[in-house]
Amino acid sequence: MRILLVEDEPDLAAGIARALRTGGYSVDVAPDGEEGLFKARSTDYDAILLDVMLPLRDGWSVLEALRRSKRTPVLMLTARDKAVDRVRGLDTGADDYLVKPFDLSELLARVRALIRRSAQHPDPAIVVGAVHIDQAARRVTRGGEPVGVTAKEYAILEYLALHRGRLVTRSDLYEHVFDETDDSFSNLIDVHISNLRRKLGHDLIATRRGLGYFIE
Ligand code: CA
């Protein structure tokens, strides 16, 4: 899952980005509203964390402009806990908001819930045959036995499982599982997929040659 963080305070942005990456997300960061809007329009993020007070263009204006073309889930980060701000945020099309200062663990919990809601998959557990994916704990079991997967393997598996029954193209995976800091070669996805097959069973993920991947 790939997240855009629009936040102008460098220390806070670095802290949030680190927490999100530790939580297994790919993260792009924008330090002002203009760059935030540009990135939000040009990439299909799984969620956007949007600060309200930003240079060049404030969070409200970014959200308003974005909503003309995209439904990406947005969590507003607001410095003030005033009813008028909350109402404005929800009216403008924010999906949730968090008042600063907040706990990073609460932020991560909100992000997970936001992504689950938008994937229309409210249950944090995904079951595919004998494979059980616990999205809250980011743990995978097969036939009840824990299976160790790397952060990228987990991210690819989770994305495919959330979109089961649909073809997921390689570019979908690049867009949602990797971020602008990843320096990846095009065959890397194949390596992750073959590791997942080795660990979880060879029939779990089907390949549509030249198109992408598929979980039944
Ligand atoms: Ca700010």
Side-chain angles (χ1 to χ4, degrees):
M1 298 293 164
R2 183 167 172 186
I3 292 176
L4 174 63
L5 169 63
V6 190
E7 168 62 63
D8 59 313
E9 290 163 54
D11 290 350
L12 183 59
I16 294 173
R18 199 180 315 119
L20 288 169
R21 289 198 178 105
T22 305
Y25 297 99
S26 304
V27 187
D28 294 345
V29 181
D32 63 65
E34 287 293 348
E35 187 175 328
L37 181 59
F38 174 78
K39 286 182 170 171
R41 277 175 167 157
S42 51
T43 297
D44 277 331
Y45 291 99
D46 297 287
I48 298 173
L49 310 187
L50 182 58
D51 187 25
V52 171
M53 304 294 281
L54 290 167
L56 302 183
R57 197 188 244 274
D58 72 21
W60 304 124
S61 156
V62 171
L63 181 60
E64 256 179 69
L66 180 69
R67 281 291 174 257
R68 284 181 215 132
S69 56
K70 279 197 166 177
R71 279 297 319 157
T72 314
V74 171
L75 172 71
M76 301 293 289
L77 307 176
T78 163
R80 293 164 294 181
D81 185 18
K82 287 190 193 148
V84 62
D85 276 357
R86 291 201 296 273
V87 170
R88 183 173 177 188
L90 299 171
D91 273 352
T92 314
D95 298 272
D96 198 3
Y97 67 91
L98 201 52
V99 178
K100 291 179 180 178
F102 46 77
D103 209 63
L104 286 174
S105 59
E106 183 178 6
L107 178 76
L108 280 168
R110 299 283 196 102
V111 168
R112 284 195 295 267
L114 191 64
I115 291 176
R116 281 204 304 274
R117 283 205 301 276
S118 80
Q120 290 169 345
H121 201 289
D123 186 347
I126 311 172
V127 181
V128 185
V131 174
H132 188 280
I133 304 164
D134 179 344
Q135 289 186 276
R138 304 177 56 76
R139 267 199 299 267
V140 180
T141 57
R142 182 189 184 193
E145 294 295 315
V147 176
V149 293
T150 67
K152 277 288 181 262
E153 287 164 12
Y154 178 87
I156 289 171
L157 176 66
E158 180 187 57
Y159 193 83
L160 289 171
L162 279 173
H163 296 84
R164 62 191 293 191
R166 277 178 274 170
L167 178 77
V168 174
T169 65
R170 297 167 65 88
S171 57
D172 289 337
L173 287 176
Y174 277 115
E175 185 140 337
H176 291 275
V177 175
F178 295 89
D179 64 36
E180 59 194 8
T181 66
D182 279 308
D183 180 18
S184 321
F185 296 99
S186 66
N187 63 356
L188 208 56
I189 285 181
D190 300 331
V191 175
H192 293 311
I193 295 277
S194 87
N195 287 340
L196 284 168
R197 284 179 176 142
R198 185 168 45 75
K199 294 173 181 179
L200 298 170
H202 287 275
D203 49 359
L204 179 70
I205 301 167
T207 301
R208 295 280 179 273
R209 199 164 295 281
L211 296 173
Y213 303 98
F214 195 84
I215 286 185
E216 293 290 352

